[in-house]
Amino acid sequence: MSSHLVEIERVCQDQAVNQPSTSERFSRTLDWAGLPVSALLLAIGIRDYRDGASVGWPIGGAVLVLVSLWVIYRGMRRRNGRTMKSA
């Protein structure tokens, strides 16, 4: 019986330790904040290109979406403890 209580206590403690801090949640939110904005710019760029604007607008929007996805991926790897080694 006592070993079961120790196991329950350890699980509760582990859950408390694994809770992200406020700064981590804010950092994660900032990482994801760029994606909807860049997707909106891509959609506007495609709409404007169809109306006769430069092809640079949808290309620029696509680049911004890719950069936003890269920032999210980099942040996830950093939070999970797998940092990339610099050359």
Side-chain angles (χ1 to χ4, degrees):
M1 181 71 172
S2 64
S3 65
H4 181 67
L5 291 176
V6 171
E7 183 68 29
I8 291 173
E9 182 179 325
R10 185 173 31 169
V11 169
C12 291
Q13 181 183 9
D14 290 344
Q15 288 175 351
V17 169
N18 289 333
Q19 292 295 323
S21 67
T22 304
S23 62
E24 277 186 35
R25 282 185 269 157
F26 185 67
S27 175
R28 188 177 303 145
T29 301
L30 286 178
D31 287 350
W32 282 90
L35 188 58
V37 174
S38 60
L40 180 65
L41 288 173
L42 174 61
I44 291 171
I46 291 171
R47 184 196 64 195
D48 288 348
Y49 175 68
R50 287 181 180 168
D51 290 340
S54 170
V55 73
W57 288 107
I59 291 173
V63 168
L64 287 175
V65 168
L66 291 175
V67 167
S68 296
L69 291 173
W70 176 72
V71 166
I72 292 168
Y73 173 74
R74 186 187 59 168
M76 287 172 43
R77 286 184 57 98
R78 183 179 63 238
R79 279 186 287 279
N80 290 335
R82 295 184 303 250
T83 57
M84 296 170 29
K85 295 179 182 177
S86 59

